[in-house]
Amino acid sequence: MRFRLQASIRVSVHPLLVCLLALSAFPLGAVKLQILEGRPIVDGVYVNGSGPYRFLIDTGSNVNLIETGLARKIGMIPTFHVELASTAGNATAKILTPGTDGNQIELGAVKAGGQKFLISSLEAIHHLSPGIQGVLGQWFFSGFDYILDLRARRLEFGKQERAGTRSPFTMINARPVVATSLGDLALDSGSASLVLFGIQPDPDSDPRTELRTLSGSQRVGMVSGRPLIIEGRKVWGGSAVAMPLRNEPGVDGLMPLSLFKSIYVCNSERYVLFN
């Protein structure tokens, strides 16, 4: 049996400038989520006044994406091209992808202007659900403080004072990265499993496991007995996907947010609270 695991998307260029809505100092309301195989999906996304559309919420992607057919339907015209890479890619697995800027996104009570989208067939994401029409990544989310509550299935925007241990994060390739016992891991709501880079898989792991991304797929293995500890607290222990290649300097792997009940990301002060 062959296993397929999704991984998040990144762009192999310097982070592009994005005009975002100013960070709010008060709650801006909540929207309902669906959770599919641990990944959050929202149905209420409007793009340039059209919608609502179903989008995957992917905090591990440093870009927004929109389905090719939908982009054409609402009149999006490409204004730039970038090389699309992924955590499972290699030096040759890069795709020149069209993009469009100057767009507006509305989700619940929030709006963000000056948004960029990459235009893609979303073939890999359609393996998760054929109804997904786009991806909201860090081009959108980095402009907000927000709570991603996977247990209550809701996303709430706005700054809040919440109790708990604050874990600082840094932005690497425009993605939030937190220090852990397993290295510096990107916060990734779009990943199904914990993924570790530069790690050889266990000799007896299934060699048919496949990590699928927008730029292709890669055979990977598994590694066991790796406890995940954050700020002195053990939050997980089990098997992780092991990728022998390390394609992203400064990032040691991907941490799926499905490991937690909820996550508060405070972009205005650069910390995250895990619950």
Side-chain angles (χ1 to χ4, degrees):
M1 178 179 180
R2 177 176 294 176
F3 298 94
R4 288 186 173 88
L5 305 167
Q6 298 294 127
S8 292
I9 307 102
R10 61 183 173 86
V11 172
S12 59
V13 295
H14 223 53
L16 300 175
L17 294 177
V18 186
C19 178
L20 295 169
L21 182 70
L23 290 162
S24 175
F26 51 87
L28 296 173
V31 294
K32 294 182 179 179
L33 299 174
Q34 297 182 30
I35 306 298
L36 184 59
E37 297 182 15
R39 304 174 182 92
I41 296 170
V42 66
D43 281 325
V45 178
Y46 289 79
V47 179
N48 299 337
S50 298
Y53 304 120
R54 169 172 285 196
F55 273 54
L56 173 70
I57 292 175
D58 190 353
T59 61
S61 171
N62 60 2
V63 300
N64 302 322
L65 297 110
I66 192 166
E67 192 178 50
T68 303
L70 178 58
R72 186 182 303 114
K73 178 181 177 180
I74 63 179
M76 284 183 161
I77 299 174
T79 55
F80 64 91
H81 289 76
V82 297
E83 283 189 332
L84 186 66
S86 75
T87 53
N90 53 49
T92 60
K94 295 179 180 179
I95 302 172
L96 190 63
T97 304
T100 172
D101 55 10
N103 302 285
Q104 178 173 277
I105 296 174
E106 298 178 51
L107 178 57
V110 303
K111 295 182 181 180
Q115 290 284 298
K116 299 180 188 292
F117 281 95
L118 299 187
I119 301 171
S120 168
S121 66
L122 301 184
E123 179 181 355
I125 292 173
H126 287 161
H127 282 271
L128 174 64
S129 171
I132 294 175
Q133 297 164 287
V135 174
L136 291 181
Q138 290 299 327
W139 277 348
F140 175 74
F141 279 103
S142 62
F144 300 97
D145 298 328
Y146 60 93
I147 300 170
L148 192 59
D149 192 329
L150 301 178
R151 170 165 288 188
R153 302 190 176 208
R154 55 189 274 135
L155 168 67
E156 186 171 340
F157 294 98
K159 188 171 183 178
Q160 298 187 25
E161 294 299 326
R162 301 177 67 87
T165 302
R166 297 184 177 188
S167 299
F169 67 82
T170 57
M171 298 297 285
I172 299 178
N173 196 21
R175 301 194 297 173
V177 174
V178 171
T180 78
S181 61
L182 299 179
D184 296 330
L185 304 182
L187 304 180
D188 193 350
S189 63
S191 181
S193 303
L194 194 145
V195 180
L196 299 177
F197 303 153
I199 300 293
Q200 292 295 328
D202 293 340
D204 58 349
S205 68
D206 191 337
R208 295 169 297 174
T209 303
E210 186 177 71
L211 191 68
R212 180 186 292 274
T213 69
L214 289 189
S215 64
S217 62
Q218 179 180 330
R219 293 289 181 86
V220 296
M222 305 295 291
V223 62
S224 60
R226 300 294 176 103
L228 175 63
I229 301 171
I230 303 175
E231 302 293 341
R233 171 192 169 198
K234 182 178 178 180
V235 298
W236 177 86
S239 297
V241 175
M243 288 182 55
L245 296 179
R246 178 185 293 274
N247 296 310
E248 191 170 358
V251 179
D252 297 308
L254 308 175
M255 181 167 57
L257 299 190
S258 57
L259 298 179
F260 307 94
K261 298 176 184 177
S262 66
I263 308 95
Y264 173 54
V265 180
C266 186
N267 278 301
S268 58
E269 297 185 40
R270 293 295 177 93
Y271 71 85
V272 60
L273 291 176
F274 298 103
N275 180 24

